[in-house]
Amino acid sequence: MKNEITIKDFRELMAKGTYVEADTELFKSFHKFSQKALKITSELNNKYHTPEEVRELFAKLTQNDVPKSFGMFPPFYTDCGINIKVGENVFINSCCRFQDQGGIEIDDGTLIGHNTTIATLNHDFNPAKRQNLTPSSVKIGKNVWIGSDCTILSGVEIGDGSIIGAGSVVTKSIPKNSIAVGNPARVIKNIEV
């Protein structure tokens, strides 16, 4: 593996679910990318920005195209930033925290409530290897509504049109057009469309 991990390399390795051992170049790249994210989110969170400026800063943070229809109310926190993709008409409310190293994809029309946390990494279960990490992406479909104070864990996919009730902890994938609530979140109702 090259000494310098590029953004492209990083995204490809994370998409493959590459096991990340402590003190490797890949592990060190987490720190490098987090420092850039801290700088940009500090700018985003510590003074007023117009919606256009918020989009520009989010595009700089993610190193991806951000649609003009994207909206966000800062503050917003991430420890990476470069592995987030958002579609058209996505809105992220204030105080959300994205651990996006493993990849976060948010499709068109999705609304994410205050204080939502999305995590894409797991530590090794073996205490002697606890610093090592396994990435697994989170994919959120079209027109999903995630209520305030939710936690969505690595490897989860939320199907199109679903609702995740406030305060839920989503540990498993949710099928499309479902309402899921609780800790752990369970489907309580199907949405008729």
Side-chain angles (χ1 to χ4, degrees), residues 3-183:
N3 286 343
E4 180 74 17
I5 305 290
T6 66
I7 292 173
K8 182 177 184 266
D9 295 336
F10 182 84
R11 288 174 177 160
E12 288 173 359
L13 290 165
M14 295 299 98
K16 292 178 189 174
T18 302
Y19 184 72
V20 183
E21 293 185 55
D23 297 321
T24 62
E25 287 305 312
L26 181 55
F27 187 87
K28 291 174 186 175
S29 73
F30 280 44
H31 179 72
K32 177 182 79 170
F33 294 130
S34 71
Q35 293 306 300
K36 291 179 182 178
L38 288 169
K39 184 176 181 181
I40 296 166
T41 55
S42 180
E43 167 69 17
L44 176 67
N45 295 337
N46 289 304
K47 69 178 188 178
Y48 172 77
H49 295 283
T50 66
E52 294 79 16
E53 292 169 334
V54 168
R55 280 192 296 279
E56 287 172 17
L57 285 166
F58 196 73
K60 184 177 176 184
L61 175 67
T62 63
Q63 296 292 299
N64 279 312
D65 293 332
V66 176
K68 290 182 180 179
S69 60
F70 171 79
M72 172 191 284
F73 287 168
F76 174 78
Y77 306 95
T78 182
D79 51 3
C80 185
I82 60 169
N83 217 356
I84 301 170
K85 295 179 187 173
V86 295
E88 296 283 346
N89 297 304
V90 167
F91 178 73
I92 300 171
N93 220 323
S94 62
C95 298
C96 289
R97 294 167 301 280
F98 288 10
Q99 179 198 52
D100 65 285
Q101 286 90 337
I104 297 173
E105 294 180 31
I106 304 168
D107 212 335
D108 301 344
T110 287
L111 308 173
I112 299 181
H114 298 85
N115 297 313
T116 291
T117 297
I118 301 176
T120 65
L121 294 174
N122 275 317
H123 289 275
D124 197 301
F125 288 0
N126 180 339
K129 298 179 180 181
R130 191 62 44 87
Q131 298 300 316
N132 298 348
L133 303 163
T134 303
S136 187
S137 66
V138 168
K139 295 179 181 173
I140 302 171
K142 293 181 181 181
N143 300 311
V144 171
W145 174 21
I146 297 172
S148 296
D149 295 303
C150 288
T151 299
I152 301 167
L153 299 182
S154 63
V156 164
E157 293 188 27
I158 299 174
D160 295 349
S162 290
I163 297 170
I164 307 299
S168 295
V169 178
V170 186
T171 61
K172 294 181 181 174
S173 294
I174 304 297
K176 68 179 185 174
N177 298 319
S178 299
I179 299 174
V181 299
N183 180 2

